Amino acid sequence: QAAERARQASLRVAELLRTLHPAAWLVVGTALVQHRRSRAAKRGDLREIRSQVFTDDFHIAIVTTAALPWMTGTAINPLLRAAYLSKAGRSVTLAVPWLHPREQGLVFPGKLRFADPQAQERHIRLWLAERGGVRADFRLRFYPARYDLDRGSILPLGDVTGCFEAGECDVCVLEEPEHLNWYHSGANWRHRFKLVIGVVHTNYLYYARMYAGAATAAVLKRLNEWMCGAYCDRVIKLSGTIQPLPRAVVCNVHGVRSEFLEIGRRAARSHFPPRRAGAYFLGKVLWAKGHRLLIDYLSLQQSLGQPPTHVDVYGGGEDLAEVEVEAAARELRLSFFPPTDHSGATLRRYKVFINPSQSEVLSTTTAEALAMGKFVVVQRHPSNDFFMQFRNTLPYDTPEEFLQQLQAALDSEPEPLSAEERRALSWEGATDRFLEVVSNCTLSDVLPTLGDHATRWVHATVQKGGPVGDRLRRASGAGPVWKQSWLAQEKWRAAPPTEIVEASILATPPGMAPVRASAAPPRR
């Protein structure tokens, strides 16, 4: 009904323009005809893909914004999604960013560097087999990208849709679609693929409000809506904490690695020593990640005259020194340790995981703790809705209830996971949920609107505007990818990502990109 009302309104505007200004009417009339043709073409694509999904005969292309060895969620989860979809019998191609060796050191841990994509692919597949616990036959492609120091994230360079061959253009999964499309200068994903599904990982608005203010958050909210509306047929929000987005559903399509579930099985069978340690918190040490709340909760315990609870905090981060000083000033029983492997022997001995964070979309560490058979103490919050189905989840609404649930967990033993709970946490279960979303896409609510086409037209005009587009990207804070007009030259259209990135490094060296006037908040 909304689409029909919009169509009728557009026709009335076109009729008015025909009377007042014939030239403007011609432009609007042409746009309306193109819109109707596009909707008809998409309707045919969706009809075809529904038939293919019914027979399990379709290809899935996944594009993400990070790659191992950067141990971030948008590197690990899309990789595991590709592996488990392939393991389930689907044909899959995963596209990940290629960074120049000069920028790899800004992201990759230790001294890990790769001279070419083939070396990095070997590292990724080795990690997948040894730590991911799965071997799968899927294609891995690299697209050119740059690391933006200001955002702390990787930005695509050029037309990423060109990574895929004609036979790979059935279903496309854009991991972080808003991020991938902020400076997208290529073909329309919705035209290139029969069905485009965006998976939103990050609560950008939370970080925008905290680090950049309400005005930037308001701009970012609208920009994210436009990007998802213009380029996605369906949007999957991992939890309800994400902003409203066009054609969105809430579904957790992530799982935990099999090693965590195996730890939980062995712990339930007493294959590990008894868990004698108490409570711990694992994650990047940022005030925004819940460390402020943890300090406030334990300070309340102190003011109420209750016996102090000792909590071990694992992780590093920009705010670590400040958090340590604040905890010491309040004389809290907090001990701080460096980042530690969650599946390692050090953290297996704890039985209570606490996570007071309100900035998460869906906490991976909470899911891992549940998989290992531990109690988790978390707030009743949209980001934690998925975890409410588990018996070992102890939710709270108030600081006082947090203290009660924490003490209850310390005084009792967690229940072994049921078969249903293990399935819900596993990547097999996540893959089932994802394929269900794909199969539920219907013709009625995923067709492009006139607003989607208008947004795409404006965005493409800016991004493909040659030197003018470069200047606009520079003014909007595109960091190292602001200069892209040279990519329109014929010699770059089929160039490998290594050559494109090398040329970009020469055009805008690392650390030499212009300071942005306004932009999105940092990713992590």
Side-chain angles (χ1 to χ4, degrees), residues 50-201:
R50 285 215 305 179
S51 174
Q52 290 177 269
V53 169
F54 182 75
T55 59
D56 288 337
D57 180 24
F58 62 100
H59 189 90
I60 301 175
I62 302 174
V63 187
T64 190
T65 56
L68 295 178
W70 190 11
M71 297 299 291
T72 187
T74 48
I76 296 171
N77 289 314
L79 174 63
L80 290 169
R81 190 184 330 284
Y84 278 89
L85 282 167
S86 177
K87 186 179 177 182
R90 274 40 178 207
S91 177
V92 181
T93 301
L94 173 64
V96 300
W98 166 253
L99 291 178
H100 192 278
R102 287 177 61 183
E103 291 188 327
Q104 291 174 17
L106 302 173
V107 180
F108 298 161
K111 296 183 179 180
L112 278 173
R113 305 291 183 272
F114 305 99
D116 53 59
Q118 293 75 24
Q120 188 172 354
E121 178 175 353
R122 288 192 293 271
H123 175 89
I124 290 171
R125 292 192 184 276
L126 181 63
W127 181 93
L128 185 62
E130 293 182 351
R131 297 303 307 275
V134 59
R135 295 182 183 273
D137 183 21
F138 61 91
R139 302 168 193 169
L140 188 60
R141 302 253 171 81
F142 288 82
Y143 64 83
R146 297 290 305 276
Y147 182 72
D148 183 8
L149 278 168
D150 202 11
R151 287 183 176 84
S153 61
I154 296 172
L155 297 176
L157 185 65
D159 183 8
V160 183
T161 67
C163 286
F164 303 100
E165 301 170 359
E168 299 173 328
C169 294
D170 294 329
V171 176
C172 179
V173 182
L174 299 179
E175 309 276 357
E176 296 211 310
E178 68 281 59
H179 180 155
L180 281 167
N181 287 301
W182 284 331
Y183 302 108
H184 176 60
S185 60
N188 190 338
W189 297 96
R190 299 177 79 180
H191 294 169
R192 178 83 166 133
F193 294 86
K194 298 171 186 175
L195 177 66
V196 181
I197 297 175
V199 180
V200 182
H201 293 242

Side-chain angles (χ1 to χ4, degrees), residues 278-287 289-295 298 309-317 319-321 323-324 327 332-340 346-347 349-350 352-356 402:
Y280 73 106
F281 183 19
L282 170 69
K284 192 169 185 179
V285 182
L286 297 172
W287 290 120
K289 291 284 189 179
H291 294 80
R292 169 67 67 189
L293 291 170
L294 176 60
I295 286 177
L298 296 181
T309 300
H310 186 97
V311 176
D312 290 335
V313 178
Y314 290 85
D319 297 335
L320 175 59
V323 173
E324 288 181 315
L332 301 177
R333 296 185 62 188
L334 287 176
S335 298
F336 293 87
F337 302 93
T340 304
T346 298
L347 297 185
R349 58 195 180 93
Y350 293 89
V352 182
F353 175 77
I354 60 176
N355 188 357
F402 168 85

